Amino acid sequence: MSTLGGDPPLVGTQAGPSAPEPEAAPQLGLPKPSSPTTAPALARLNEMVVAALGTAQRDWVRGLQLRHAEPMGDGSLASRVSERLDHVENRRQLNIEAILQRALRILADEVEDGAPDLDWAASFFAHAADTAEPEFSRIWARLLVQEVRRPGAVPRSVLNRLPGVPKSGLALFRRFAAFAVNNFVIRLEQSFFDRKDLTSDDILLLEEYGLIRTNRDLNRVFQSQREDRFSTNLLYADKALRITHDQPDKQLVLACYRLTEFGTALCRALFDEGEVRSDTDYIIEVVRLLQRQGFHTAQANILERSDEQVVSRHTPFCEIVALGR
């Protein structure tokens, strides 16, 4: 078994004047619109209401639109409450079951020592139950499997933050995670990331989602894992990069973007789902950066990992040299 890796992870309308009207008794629910709603907007509103609250609430909204809603007495209100709650909980139950079905298919046989955190489990299902989007459902399932395998593997903060990431944000982070070495991304020239459809504004948006930190002074420092010469290993997706230097006391210092606790967990889930693969262009640029500092780089394919920091099987290392620039 070869032990590889560096340090462990780090949403108006205006009404004109009107004659005063007798004060009406207060009613619950949405106010009647002052003007007709356009058909496309009504259709979209109906779709959202049905999906989130059920058909009973949709019919009530239609009554308001047509200005002949049934009187909203206590019985009618209670009926809508009951039907809405049934709809919401049925939808949440279906979402939970989809996640569990996926988790059962990818669950590993072995587990590490430790007692499961039952409060974590309650929080997990409370957050995950509102997820119907398949892309996110797969991630929730993967996070559950990780926590089952090793209690404490998925911080509670991940459960709180993941519902706040939109689908477009997930796609953006997936592109960024293609360059993650454990819990950081080596900071290359912005022109490189521009070519990879990651603008500086995109990277700042990932910071707003709580996935990365972009401070200019962030660095990762690596000490040698050998005494006779400098040698350390970077685990990048399905590649292992061995970095060496003739001077034993040499340090490897890499400017970087740091993944947060949330970003690290999401990146790991994407990797386990097979959605993150190594980028050859990135490796070449990293090799150029290292060559300018006098380091040598060799690469091996990772065949099997024991965990995030330990590779149990890999191909032989072969040296990489970047030409030009």
Side-chain angles (χ1 to χ4, degrees):
M1 174 182 293
S2 300
T3 302
L4 301 179
D7 297 337
L10 305 137
V11 143
T13 60
Q14 293 181 342
S18 59
E21 297 180 357
E23 185 176 352
Q27 290 182 328
L28 298 175
L30 297 173
K32 291 183 179 181
S34 58
S35 59
T37 304
T38 59
L42 181 59
R44 180 173 294 175
L45 175 62
N46 284 340
E47 181 181 357
M48 295 168 67
V49 168
V50 170
L53 305 175
T55 57
Q57 197 69 57
R58 186 270 316 277
D59 293 342
W60 182 84
V61 171
R62 280 181 171 174
L64 291 181
Q65 171 67 18
L66 299 174
R67 299 178 183 272
H68 60 69
E70 296 180 359
M72 293 181 288
D74 290 341
S76 175
L77 175 62
S79 174
R80 290 196 302 276
V81 168
S82 177
E83 291 189 44
R84 176 178 61 80
L85 290 176
D86 284 346
H87 172 83
V88 169
E89 291 308 318
N90 283 335
R91 173 175 53 80
R92 287 167 59 87
Q93 183 66 24
L94 288 173
N95 293 340
I96 288 172
E97 291 177 359
I99 291 170
L100 288 172
Q101 287 174 356
R102 171 68 177 169
L104 285 170
R105 290 197 294 269
I106 61 177
L107 192 65
D109 293 333
E110 303 298 325
V111 296
E112 298 184 15
D113 292 339
D117 185 340
L118 302 186
D119 289 338
W120 184 97
S123 181
F124 174 89
F125 288 111
H127 286 92
D130 290 317
T131 300
E133 171 58 50
E135 287 187 51
F136 283 95
S137 182
R138 290 195 298 270
I139 291 173
W140 283 112
R142 184 63 66 175
L143 294 173
L144 178 59
V145 166
Q146 291 175 355
E147 184 70 17
V148 168
R149 181 178 181 271
R150 179 168 62 87
V154 180
R156 190 83 64 90
S157 62
V158 176
L159 311 182
N160 298 330
R161 285 181 172 271
L162 184 56
V165 178
K167 190 174 180 179
S168 60
L170 178 62
L172 178 58
F173 183 68
R174 187 183 291 111
R175 297 199 300 274
F176 186 82
F179 312 115
V181 181
N182 290 330
N183 69 337
F184 68 96
V185 169
I186 298 171
R187 190 189 287 266
L188 301 174
E189 294 293 332
Q190 180 57 44
S191 58
F192 170 81
F193 295 105
D194 288 339
R195 294 196 300 272
K196 297 297 180 178
D197 196 20
L198 279 166
T199 68
S200 57
D201 286 343
D202 290 332
I203 293 174
L204 290 175
L205 185 57
L206 292 176
E207 186 170 41
E208 290 184 20
Y209 291 143
L211 290 161
I212 66 173
R213 298 187 180 97
T214 63
N215 312 49
R216 278 284 175 182
D217 58 346
L218 290 175
N219 295 294
R220 285 300 306 268
V221 180
F222 296 87
Q223 307 290 345
S224 180
Q225 296 175 344
R226 296 180 53 154
E227 295 183 356
D228 59 328
R229 62 190 174 95
F230 177 89
S231 179
T232 193
N233 300 283
L234 303 181
L235 302 186
Y236 166 53
D238 54 349
K239 307 292 184 186
L241 302 179
R242 176 162 291 167
I243 317 301
T244 60
H245 196 282
D246 294 336
Q247 300 177 11
D249 59 347
K250 184 73 172 178
Q251 285 185 336
L252 173 61
V253 182
L254 294 173
C256 66
Y257 298 103
R258 292 293 297 271
L259 273 64
T260 61
E261 191 176 55
F262 173 32
T264 300
L266 182 54
C267 183
R268 186 180 304 125
L270 291 171
F271 178 79
D272 289 347
E273 279 294 291
E275 298 186 29
V276 174
R277 286 288 179 265
S278 58
D279 185 289
T280 301
D281 296 336
Y282 180 62
I283 294 176
I284 292 173
E285 291 303 317
V286 169
V287 170
R288 285 198 177 103
L289 175 66
L290 295 170
Q291 284 179 178
R292 290 196 292 267
Q293 300 180 39
F295 291 98
H296 305 284
T297 309
Q299 172 185 296
N301 294 328
I302 298 174
L303 303 178
E304 186 178 343
R305 292 186 188 229
S306 300
D307 59 34
E308 292 85 6
Q309 291 293 323
V310 179
V311 171
S312 52
R313 200 160 59 92
H314 60 79
T315 63
F317 280 92
C318 61
E319 188 173 2
I320 310 174
V321 176
L323 303 177
R325 287 198 292 174

